[in-house]
Structure formats: C-alpha cells, structure tokens
Amino acid sequence: MAATPDTPVDETDMSSRITPAYRRYALILLVLAYTSSHIDRNIVGILIEPIKADLMLSDTQMGFLSGIAFALFYATLGIPIAVFADRSNRRNIIAWSIAIWSAMTAVCGTAQSFWQLAIARVGVGIGEAGSGPSSHSMIADLYPKEKRSSAMSIYALGVYFGIMLGFLIGGFVAEWWGWRAAFLVVGAPGLLIALLVRFTMIEPPRGFADGVKPPPLGKVNVWAGFASLWNVRTTRHVVCGVTLTALVGYGTIVWAPAFLIRSHGMTPSEVGLFLGPALGIVGGLGAYIGGMLADHLATKDARWNAWIVGIAKMLSIPFICAFYLIDNTYLALAFYMPAAFLGAFYLGPSFGMIQSLTPLRSRALASAIMLFILNLFGLGFGPQLIGIASDLMRVWFESDSLRYALLAATFVNVWASAHYYLAGKTLKQDTANVIG
C-alpha cells in the first residue's frame, strides 16, 4: 500500500518501487487519463453543428456549452481539491475524478434541452477539476527538475491525443448514429482508466525526485498561493502568457470544426479525419519537441524555457491567418499543419516552470491556481467570445462571420508572446529564490 501524508515513508522501499520503468508506466497512465479528459472536454467542438440543429441553439449558446458551462466549475473546484491533494492521496483523487467525468459525459448524450446539456457539462467540469493539479504534483515528485519540462510535455500529449480521438470518434459516430451516441461511446472507457489508476499506481512521497524529505503539513492559505504566483515575476508572466494562449487555443479547437463545415463544406466525419490527426499527431509532436527543445536549450541558458514558447507563438501567426483566409480547402489545411505544430510548444515548458518555481508543499495548489486562471478566462471565455463575435459579425459577413471572429482572435498570440519574453528575463533569479 502506498504511503499517505500521515504515515512514515520508507525511502529505501520507495526507491526500489519507483524505478525508471515505473516512472514511465505512471506517466503513460496519467497521459491516458489526460487523454480521456480532453476527449470528453472537447468532443463538443465536432458536435456543434448537429447539436445546434437538433436543439435549435445559437452560436452564443454553443459557446456557453463549450466554455463557461464547463470551465466555471472546473476552474473553481480545482483549488479546494488541490488543497486537499497537497495533504492527502493524489492517486485516489485522480481515480475518482476520471470516474465522475466519464459518467457525466455519457449523461450528456441523454440531454433533451439546452439546460439539460448545460448541467451535464457542468458535471464533466466538476469531475475534471481534481485530475490536473494532482497529476502535475505527482509528475513533479517522479521526475527531477532537469527532466521536468520533458515529462510535462509528454503528459501534455494527452491534450492532443484527446482532441484527435474526440474529433475522429465524434465525427464518425455523429454522422452514422447521431451526436448522442458519440457522448456515450467516449464516456465509457474512462471508467477502466480510473480502475487502473486506483489499483496500479503508487503515491510518491512529496519531494522524492528532488531528493528531499516531505515537508511538514501546515495550514494551507489559498490567498497566499495566489499572492505567491502574482508576486514572483516569472510565474506572473507565465500564467498571463498561458492564459492568453488558452484563450486563442480553446476557442480555435471548439470552433475550427464548425468553420470548416460552414466555410469549406466539409462533413463532420471529414473534419474529424483531418483535424483529429492534425491536432493529435502534429500538435502532439509539437508539444513533445517543444518540451525536449526547452530542456535542451535550458541546459545552456534557463531562460529558453520561456523564450522558446514566445518564439513559437509568433511564428505560428502567419500560418493561422492563412488557414482562415485561403478559400482553397487543401491549401488551407496545409497551412494548418505548421500552425498546430508551433501552437503546441507552450504546455510542457509552462507547466514545468510553474512546478519548479513552487515550494514542495504547495505544488498541487499552484497548479490549480494556474489552471483556475487559465481555464476560467481561456477555456471559459475563448469559445464564448468567439461565439458572440460570430453572431454579431453575421450582419456584415453572413455565413463567413465565424471566419473573421476566429481571425481576430489569432492576434492575441502577440500579447502572449510578450509575457513569455518577460518571463525568461527573470527566470534564473526567481528559480534560485525558491524555498522548499
């Protein structure tokens, strides 16, 4: 049985159990869990058009279902669950979270109205609230600082695998059996992953990968956690950068399928067959290479952990603009590939920097606060604002209104890049000042 925060940890026993092979297994299992969460979270994107037609909804309402309905509870509940995770068994929290979000995804398929679907999406958000911060904290205790960006980038592959499978499965199932069946099909496998996490994973001691003893349990001050992230210059800029990136990224993921269906005449299954692999394989490769490149360059200069992200965001802008503006479908899709690759660089280095700049006793809390800000503003308002903009622009652009709403959002990447540049300037000094 894995040690809990209330029981003494036998370091020799843990060293014999947490082997390199086990680290790889645990990371793969956490990637599977993260993949499941992003299948269930993002499948609404490929289902926007059939849901909208069946329930007679507007783009603004679909933006609400894709963003705020999920993000508000997901972001808010993440903080109290993270406080609990910093003092208890993170493995069990992750297992319960997977089970809840999987069950609630299946419930989405039974909704008969806008509000029923909104409540079910809230349930998915509640389930997913407990997984991310606990997983980040566990990975930080399994992998040392010099390998943390790479490990976090591998974990981040779950985002792209999840989007890929969600689009592929959702598009195919929706076209043949309807959007309700798609929710049921993707919800069920998560229950098996929950069982694997609960019964095959080990709860690592806090500080294990850093070679230090677990810190004493003290009173958790959530407001002090917010203040800590804000008062440290590097974490302040990383959180701002990742939030702005998410604002564009989540908005694009949710609305890109509808854009291709409306502006290029593609079917849901055709969109899934293209966007799924483009985001899953090309985006996943970008996430992995971004983390590896950050770790490699950071051995010479730690500031590259942040700067590599800012450079990638700026380089992606011309490709994103071309994707939205070119009417030739095949050429537009060709430009989407480098945009997806470069746009994925940010996750691993961003998560890794936050964990490395946070004291051991509050890593899950720091991750939850970052995810709270990122998801409340990025996931919550990204799809919603694009949906509102699309409805408002319909007066001028008619069926092309979504195209120009997405194009306008692209330039937020410039603002995000500036924050990553500023984060790099203070990274060395702030890392040296971290107190365990």
Side-chain angles (χ1 to χ4, degrees):
M1 180 179 293
T4 68
D6 298 317
T7 58
V9 176
D10 186 333
E11 294 293 344
T12 303
D13 178 61
M14 277 295 169
S15 296
S16 66
R17 297 176 67 193
I18 302 179
T19 62
Y22 172 77
R23 285 189 178 94
R24 289 191 292 271
Y25 170 78
L27 186 56
I28 289 170
L29 197 51
L30 291 175
V31 169
L32 285 176
Y34 204 33
T35 299
S36 171
S37 76
H38 276 271
I39 292 174
D40 296 358
R41 181 186 310 185
N42 293 302
I43 192 171
V44 173
I46 196 70
L47 303 178
I48 279 180
E49 294 301 285
I51 292 174
K52 184 180 176 183
D54 188 18
L55 300 183
M56 295 181 290
L57 306 180
S58 67
D59 281 352
T60 299
Q61 287 175 304
M62 290 309 304
F64 179 84
L65 290 173
S66 307
I68 293 175
F70 173 91
L72 183 61
F73 286 87
Y74 171 66
T76 304
L77 289 177
I79 292 176
I81 294 174
V83 171
F84 182 62
D86 274 329
R87 303 171 62 86
S88 60
N89 192 299
R90 294 163 289 184
R91 176 202 61 196
N92 294 350
I93 292 172
I94 295 169
W96 275 108
S97 296
I98 300 168
I100 292 170
W101 83 56
S102 300
M104 293 307 298
T105 298
V107 171
C108 287
T110 68
Q112 300 297 319
S113 69
F114 168 76
W115 287 111
Q116 287 180 8
L117 187 53
I119 291 169
R121 288 289 292 169
V122 166
V124 177
I126 290 171
E128 293 196 21
S131 178
S134 299
S135 297
H136 290 185
S137 178
M138 287 185 74
I139 292 170
D141 287 330
L142 289 170
Y143 286 87
K145 187 182 301 183
E146 62 271 15
K147 296 181 179 179
R148 206 162 281 157
S149 284
S150 297
M152 288 293 184
S153 293
I154 293 172
Y155 174 71
L157 293 176
V159 175
Y160 303 96
F161 292 162
I163 296 168
M164 176 177 68
L165 292 173
F167 282 3
L168 285 171
I169 297 169
F172 178 79
V173 174
E175 192 161 318
W176 288 96
W177 293 286
W179 65 269
R180 298 179 188 281
F183 280 115
L184 296 171
V185 168
V186 301
L191 299 175
L192 175 60
I193 299 173
L195 291 173
L196 288 173
V197 169
R198 174 60 184 84
F199 294 107
T200 68
M201 286 190 69
I202 300 167
E203 172 73 7
R206 267 73 171 178
F208 181 81
D210 294 298
V212 298
K213 292 183 178 180
L217 295 178
K219 184 178 179 181
V220 177
N221 188 327
V222 174
W223 295 114
F226 273 99
S228 176
L229 285 181
W230 183 255
N231 291 334
V232 176
R233 294 165 298 177
T234 304
T235 55
R236 179 168 69 240
H237 286 300
V238 170
V239 170
C240 288
V242 79
T243 300
L244 292 166
T245 297
L247 187 78
V248 179
Y250 280 124
T252 300
I253 289 167
V254 167
W255 287 107
F259 161 69
L260 290 172
I261 291 169
R262 295 180 196 180
S263 297
H264 289 271
M266 298 175 72
T267 65
S269 60
E270 287 173 339
V271 173
L273 283 171
F274 168 73
L275 277 186
L279 287 166
I281 298 173
V282 178
L285 189 63
Y288 178 72
I289 290 178
M292 295 291 289
L293 192 58
D295 274 343
H296 174 71
L297 293 174
T299 59
K300 301 175 181 178
D301 190 334
R303 294 175 293 183
W304 279 106
N305 271 309
W307 287 347
I308 194 68
V309 179
I311 292 171
K313 301 311 298 179
M314 291 298 295
L315 291 176
S316 71
I317 293 173
F319 297 105
I320 300 172
C321 291
F323 171 61
Y324 292 134
L325 292 174
I326 293 174
D327 288 325
N328 182 291
T329 301
Y330 295 106
L331 189 57
L333 296 179
F335 275 104
Y336 189 76
M337 296 293 188
F341 177 79
L342 292 166
F345 270 42
Y346 78 103
L347 278 173
S350 299
F351 290 163
M353 282 187 286
I354 292 294
Q355 292 295 302
S356 296
L357 287 161
T358 302
L360 296 176
R361 62 183 176 274
S362 56
R363 279 177 170 170
L365 175 61
S367 179
I369 291 171
M370 181 190 74
L371 290 173
F372 168 80
I373 299 168
L374 181 160
N375 287 296
L376 185 61
F377 291 97
L379 177 56
F381 290 102
Q384 182 71 81
L385 291 174
I386 290 173
I388 292 171
S390 176
D391 280 338
L392 292 174
M393 290 181 178
R394 194 172 297 276
V395 175
W396 300 289
F397 300 110
E398 298 180 345
S399 61
D400 265 345
S401 62
L402 181 58
R403 180 198 302 265
Y404 291 102
L406 286 163
L407 182 65
T410 301
F411 293 95
V412 176
N413 282 312
V414 177
W415 188 3
S417 298
H419 281 292
Y420 280 107
Y421 169 73
L422 294 171
K425 292 186 68 176
T426 58
L427 180 59
K428 284 184 180 179
Q429 182 179 349
D430 288 339
T431 302
N433 292 334
V434 175
I435 300 173

